[in-house]
């Protein structure tokens, strides 16, 4: 993605007196739109998207009453027998959809924040958005008497509010006199610590049963999702994703560094603002939908960069990898494990070693 | 080396960097003295200053048989609780502060802290497993499990990130550390969700408290922390060179691999022992180096001692505040560090740009 080689058409090549070293093949349409043709990111995107769809279908197929793949596909396009339709629409489809939506949203959010702050550690978890959502959610869960009758919808709603408010606070504090990636990340980390302390405080003061419930929520889970939650998270995430993708062309310039981006004529302030707001909404929506599933937002962009061989995470590819990772993890959580574990544990158990494997492989290759 | 002059010319306006550093040092030392006095005076039992003073030197005996029961009780409270608690807060705070400064220096990442190498989570997992499988309950038994868990995690992270290369690159170290940290934390959650006794221990462990009711904790962890501090200070000149870039450092005759190994060994000792002693005290290792850097600039020969003093001061003050705000109970120091430290830190960053690495 960051590449100084230019896309050239055949005609340009011939016009030059000395042949250039082989450049990346380019594609230029009418002199306005030009791409560098890079097969690896495209292949990674397609494979990840296909894999995510496969996991999605498998997740619908498997269960106490297994369906065949044809039944799954028929039901998805609106046909199929009533029993299958009932099984799919009632329980399995919301969960499978939620996995895809949340995975993609978290990964895209992480890719945006990591690009803007130029720091691989930056992700919505680290900027405090997830823990801000957690504060209100844990408050509801540990003060059962106050709020027990609103927990079903109250927890997601409170999580959404908490995430958005925290994001707004971090943004407002960091945006003083122009957004600065360094300040953003330091303030985000501090706010994150504050929110974590509040959560820990509530956990310590609550009784052990409520602490257990809160701990379950804090790990992140996709079990028992309702259509309301899927719609809410899906709509919010989709709007934010469209906005982010609209600004993503400028993101490529931002990834080159602030000075270069300004030199290229990108309105840095506005681009950053739009992207960060989109990132906050994406993260808050997914925490509301599935709890603060750790690691997906951090690991997906990093894995994407390494698989695609690029130096900054592209948004769509990251989103596909995130959806792939979370759907796969949820499938493992649902079917392979003897005890049912929340999906947040599985993402870290699968994603952590995978990232380390990629790092080690990269190290070994570069030292050879 | 003239790094002192080279790194911070823009901060020298008005009065010299050197003078600013010396004044800062004096202020920190004075603040620590004040905090120590306050720590001895303030507690769940209300004792008058003179009683505390005499209690400090009185040789106490078992309760009920003393000629002066009030003085005897004061002596017990001061000598068995407040003194060890004060010492523990100072030691652990400086360990975590210096550990954080080393981590940020070696990784060149402003949000690195000792928790990043998997140290805190390795300790937490070891403790939870010890409770789940072995039924370990006493804090003094936790320490060894925590320390071993911390050490294993950091050796694994460092080993993985240096596979194939001559020295672990800072970026790989950070990423491998985060990967392993998340993994360990997921395993810890899995155990805690399965077993409510482990969850119970874990939530208090996460809160990070300074429990000074036992000299054993101090005696067990202090040697590791002292060795860690010595290694850290020995690492400071090399760290200044490394911050010019690995290639430049190598060109100037620095053994890069040796310097990295030494630094990470120090981080492991400091953070591992500190975490083992007090549980997970988040944020301290992150914020203290930034505050110290604001006073000293990025020269590690000054930054590390400053971080030690500022870290000890912050944890001690947090512990005192925790004793005061939640009477008759108390608020865990780890929670107070973040509740009090984070707004101050935000203000520092917001009001005047923190010094970059």
């Amino acid at each position: 993605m960051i590449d100084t080689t230019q896309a050239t058409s055949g005609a340009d090549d011939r016009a030059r007196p000395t042949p250039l070293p082989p450049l990346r093949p380019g594609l230029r349409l009418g002199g306005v739109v030009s791409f560098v043709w890079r097969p690896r990111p495209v292949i990674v995107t397609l494979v990840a998207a296909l894999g995510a769809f496969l996991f999605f279908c498998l997740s619908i197929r498997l269960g106490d009453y297994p369906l065949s793949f044809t039944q799954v596909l028929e039901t998805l396009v609106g046909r199929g027998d009533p029993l299958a339709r009932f099984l799919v629409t009632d329980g399995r489809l919301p969960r499978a959809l939620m996995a895809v939506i949340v995975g993609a949203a978290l990964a895209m959010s992480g890719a945006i924040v990591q690009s803007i702050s130029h720091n691989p550690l930056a992700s919505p978890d680290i900027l405090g958005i997830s823990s801000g959502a957690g504060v209100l959610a844990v408050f509801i869960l540990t003060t059962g008497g106050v709020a027990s009758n609103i927990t079903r919808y109250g927890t997601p709603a409170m999580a959404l509010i908490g995430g958005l408010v925290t994001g707004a606070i971090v943004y407002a504090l960091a945006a003083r006199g122009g957004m600065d990636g360094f300040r953003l990340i330091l303030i985000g980390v501090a706010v994150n610590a504050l929110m974590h302390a509040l959560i820990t405080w509530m956990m310590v003061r609550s009784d052990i049963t409520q602490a257990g419930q809160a701990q379950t929520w804090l790990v992140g889970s996709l079990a028992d999702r309702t259509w309301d939650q899927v719609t809410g998270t899906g709509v919010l995430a989709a709007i934010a994703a469209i906005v982010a993708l609209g600004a993503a062309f400028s993101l490529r310039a931002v990834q080159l560094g602030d000075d270069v981006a300004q030199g290229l004529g990108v309105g840095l302030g506005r681009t950053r603002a739009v992207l960060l707001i989109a990132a906050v909404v994406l993260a808050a929506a997914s925490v509301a939908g599935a709890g603060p599933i750790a690691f997906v937002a951090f690991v997906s962009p990093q894995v994407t960069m390494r698989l695609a061989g690029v130096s900054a995470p592209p948004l769509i590819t990251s989103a596909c990898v995130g959806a792939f990772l979370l759907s796969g993890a949820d499938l493992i959580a649902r079917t392979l494990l003897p005890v049912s574990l929340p999906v947040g544990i599985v993402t870290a158990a699968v994603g952590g070693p995978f990232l380390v494997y990629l790092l080690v492989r990269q190290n070994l290759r570069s030292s050879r | 080396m003239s790094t002192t002059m080279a790194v911070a010319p823009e901060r020298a306006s008005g009065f010299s960097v050197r003078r600013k550093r010396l004044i800062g040092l004096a202020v920190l030392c004075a603040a620590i003295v004040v905090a120590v006095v306050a720590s001895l005076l303030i507690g769940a039992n209300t004792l008058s200053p003179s009683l505390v003073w005499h209690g400090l030197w009185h040789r106490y005996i078992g309760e009920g048989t003393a000629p002066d029961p009030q003085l005897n009780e004061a002596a017990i409270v001061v000598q068995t609780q407040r003194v060890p608690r004060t010492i523990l807060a100072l030691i652990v705070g400086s360990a975590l502060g210096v550990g954080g400064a080393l981590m940020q220096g070696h990784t060149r990442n402003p949000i690195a802290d000792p928790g990043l190498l998997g140290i805190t989570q390795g300790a937490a997992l070891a403790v939870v497993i010890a409770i789940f499988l072995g039924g370990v309950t006493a804090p003094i038994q936790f320490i060894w499990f925590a320390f071993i868990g911390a050490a294993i995690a950091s050796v694994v992270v460092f080993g993985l990130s240096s596979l194939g290369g001559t020295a672990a690159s800072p970026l790989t170290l950070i990423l491998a550390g985060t990967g392993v940290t998340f993994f360990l934390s997921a395993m810890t959650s899995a155990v805690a969700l399965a077993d409510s006794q482990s969850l119970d221990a874990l939530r208090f462990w996460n809160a990070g408290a300074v429990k000074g009711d036992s000299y054993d904790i101090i005696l067990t962890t202090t040697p590791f922390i002292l060795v860690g501090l010595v290694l850290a200070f020995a690492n400071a000149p090399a760290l200044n060179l490394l911050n010019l870039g690995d290639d430049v450092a190598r060109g100037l005759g620095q053994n890069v691999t040796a310097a990295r190994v030494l630094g990470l060994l120090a981080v492991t000792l400091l953070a591992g022992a500190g975490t083992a002693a007090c549980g997970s005290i988040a944020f301290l290792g992150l914020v203290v180096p930034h505050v110290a850097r604001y006073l000293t600039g990025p020269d590690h020969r000054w930054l590390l001692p400053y971080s030690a003093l500022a870290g000890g001061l912050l944890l001690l003050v947090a512990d005192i505040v925790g004793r005061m705000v939640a009477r008759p109970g108390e608020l865990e120091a780890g929670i107070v560090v973040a509740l009090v430290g984070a707004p101050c830190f935000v203000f520092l960053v917001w009001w005047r740009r923190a010094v970059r690495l």
Side-chain angles (χ1 to χ4, degrees), chain A residues 176 203 205-206 295 363 367, chain B residues 109 161 164 182 203 332 350:
Chain A
R176 180 181 183 243
M203 291 289 282
R205 303 292 166 233
S206 61
F295 207 60
N363 260 16
S367 70
Chain B
N109 193 312
S161 58
F182 274 104
R203 59 193 181 135
E332 285 77 1
W350 180 80

Side-chain angles (χ1 to χ4, degrees), chain B residues 6-25:
Chain B
V7 287
E10 80 278 12
R11 309 210 62 80
S13 60
F15 53 116
S16 73
V17 175
R18 186 179 173 77
R19 204 170 137 201
K20 188 173 174 179
R21 285 173 178 164
L22 289 174
I23 293 174
L25 204 59

Side-chain angles (χ1 to χ4, degrees), chain A residues 50-74:
Chain A
L50 209 65
F53 184 68
L54 187 72
F55 285 149
F56 173 75
C57 292
L58 263 176
S59 177
I60 296 173
R61 191 175 113 87
L62 298 173
D64 289 338
Y65 181 89
L67 301 168
S68 73
F69 266 115
T70 31
Q71 276 175 307
V72 171
L73 292 176
E74 274 177 4

Side-chain angles (χ1 to χ4, degrees), chain A residues 4-63:
Chain A
T4 48
T5 57
Q6 285 172 10
T8 49
S9 67
D12 288 342
D13 272 340
R14 255 182 280 120
R16 291 205 168 89
T18 46
L20 287 169
L23 293 173
R24 294 187 182 280
L27 178 70
R28 183 174 284 180
L29 302 173
V32 183
V33 181
S34 61
F35 298 95
V36 179
W37 169 245
R38 288 167 162 277
R40 249 174 91 181
V42 177
I43 293 169
V44 171
T45 313
L46 289 178
V47 170
L50 209 65
F53 184 68
L54 187 72
F55 285 149
F56 173 75
C57 292
L58 263 176
S59 177
I60 296 173
R61 191 175 113 87
L62 298 173

Side-chain angles (χ1 to χ4, degrees), chain A residues 335-368:
Chain A
T335 57
L336 288 186
L337 295 178
V339 288
S340 131
L341 281 177
V343 70
I345 289 176
V346 185
T347 48
V350 177
F354 188 50
L355 177 69
V356 172
Y357 160 74
L358 288 177
L359 290 169
V360 169
R361 202 187 61 168
Q362 197 179 24
N363 260 16
L364 290 175
R365 192 184 291 155
S366 63
S367 70
R368 215 173 278 142

Side-chain angles (χ1 to χ4, degrees), chain B residues 119-131 133-153 205 220 272 275-276:
Chain B
I119 291 175
T120 317
Q121 283 303 332
L125 181 58
V127 167
V128 166
I129 287 176
I131 294 165
L133 296 180
V136 176
T137 46
I140 190 70
Q141 293 171 299
F142 286 168
I143 287 191
W144 289 105
F145 285 101
F147 196 44
I148 293 167
I152 292 176
W205 169 267
T220 316
T275 308

